[in-house]
Amino acid sequence: EVDQWHRAAARARALPGPRRGRRSAPGPGQLPQPPRPPVVEPDGTGSPYIGLRPYGPGDAPLFHGRSAETATLLARLDARRRRPLLVVGASGSGKSSLVSAGLVPEWERRGLTTVIVRPGGIGPGVVDAPDALVVDQLEELWADGVGRTERAAALEHLAARAASGLPTVCTLRSDFVTAALAEPVLREALDAEPVLLGPPSRAEITEIIVEPARSLGYVVEPALVTLLLDTVAPVGTGDDDRSLLP
């Protein structure tokens, strides 16, 4: 998929037309437009796109296309959960970006402080804190060098924390679901409405392309959007129009 993006970008460079939108001066009787809120460029180059790395909390103004999934996360966390909430998806589906740039900023708007750790950071000091907790890449509990006792202790920490009502979210690769089902804590979590993250639809990919550029004042030509969509998410290639691109 990355090669397809590179080829599409090369073709896009040859397209004519403006690259940055311009604001017109107010007409007679019109008020000047208020300035846009500042959006931090991800790499200082003027590009509105962060590349292949996951989005972090600081990238939230540029994170688009997953509003429905973010709303689902919030709704399930608001339902007085007593088990960790699992976000399950294929490798590269955008799980880390969803929780870091979608969920965490929403928590912060509610006045919650969030701690984001990998499984190696699970310990009493983290799980006993009153903050909202995200454990990213929970599948690392099955990495070489992690024994059954260590894995069981980490999962018991998470179970105790969630049982006390503290917000607890874990991301898990879908190819580790079978391994997770062997652990009672995760089997119960998988039975308690996990969030299953699939690839974005064509409409969501359009938002992912257009909205970050718009937030920095750029205009993305419709022809370019169509070109990118037909490259990475062609219609009629499967049961639906979803792309395999994260």
Side-chain angles (χ1 to χ4, degrees), residues 24-109:
S24 58
Q30 292 181 330
L31 295 176
Q33 299 179 28
R36 294 187 179 93
V39 176
V40 178
E41 298 170 1
D43 56 7
T45 65
S47 170
Y49 307 109
I50 69 168
L52 297 179
R53 68 169 174 82
Y55 287 81
D59 301 312
L62 297 171
F63 182 70
H64 295 276
R66 291 296 196 181
S67 56
E69 290 83 356
T70 301
T72 298
L73 279 171
L74 290 168
R76 293 187 184 175
L77 288 164
D78 288 342
R80 299 181 178 273
R81 295 186 67 87
R82 291 296 183 266
R83 295 183 179 90
L85 177 59
L86 297 184
V87 180
V88 181
S91 177
S93 60
K95 302 179 296 297
S96 299
S97 297
L98 173 63
V99 295
S100 294
L103 175 64
V104 169
E106 291 296 330
W107 268 343
E108 291 176 347
R109 277 190 275 273

Side-chain angles (χ1 to χ4, degrees), residues 1-228:
E1 291 86 358
V2 174
D3 289 340
Q4 291 177 330
W5 274 103
H6 285 311
R7 289 194 296 271
R11 292 195 296 271
R13 293 190 186 101
L15 292 175
R19 294 296 182 263
R20 181 182 287 270
R22 297 180 182 273
R23 291 192 175 192
S24 58
Q30 292 181 330
L31 295 176
Q33 299 179 28
R36 294 187 179 93
V39 176
V40 178
E41 298 170 1
D43 56 7
T45 65
S47 170
Y49 307 109
I50 69 168
L52 297 179
R53 68 169 174 82
Y55 287 81
D59 301 312
L62 297 171
F63 182 70
H64 295 276
R66 291 296 196 181
S67 56
E69 290 83 356
T70 301
T72 298
L73 279 171
L74 290 168
R76 293 187 184 175
L77 288 164
D78 288 342
R80 299 181 178 273
R81 295 186 67 87
R82 291 296 183 266
R83 295 183 179 90
L85 177 59
L86 297 184
V87 180
V88 181
S91 177
S93 60
K95 302 179 296 297
S96 299
S97 297
L98 173 63
V99 295
S100 294
L103 175 64
V104 169
E106 291 296 330
W107 268 343
E108 291 176 347
R109 277 190 275 273
R110 297 181 177 195
L112 295 176
T113 303
T114 306
V115 175
I116 303 175
V117 299
R118 301 278 278 272
I122 300 173
V126 170
V127 298
D128 294 339
D131 310 293
L133 177 66
V134 169
V135 180
D136 195 19
Q137 300 184 35
L138 191 66
E139 63 272 5
E140 291 180 357
L141 285 177
W142 288 270
D144 292 341
V146 179
R148 178 180 295 273
T149 300
E150 182 180 353
R151 181 166 57 251
L155 293 175
E156 285 302 322
H157 281 310
L158 294 178
R161 173 190 166 83
S164 70
L166 293 172
T168 306
V169 175
C170 306
T171 68
L172 178 70
R173 262 174 43 192
S174 55
D175 51 324
F176 280 82
V177 167
T178 299
L181 288 170
E183 306 290 342
V185 170
L186 296 181
R187 186 164 61 246
E188 292 180 359
L190 286 166
D191 195 40
E193 287 194 297
V195 174
L196 305 180
L197 188 63
S201 66
R202 283 174 64 94
E204 290 167 334
I205 294 175
T206 298
E207 187 177 339
I208 290 168
I209 294 168
V210 171
E211 293 304 324
R214 182 178 295 168
S215 68
L216 290 180
Y218 292 97
V219 174
V220 182
E221 298 176 6
L224 174 57
V225 176
T226 300
L227 173 64
L228 293 172

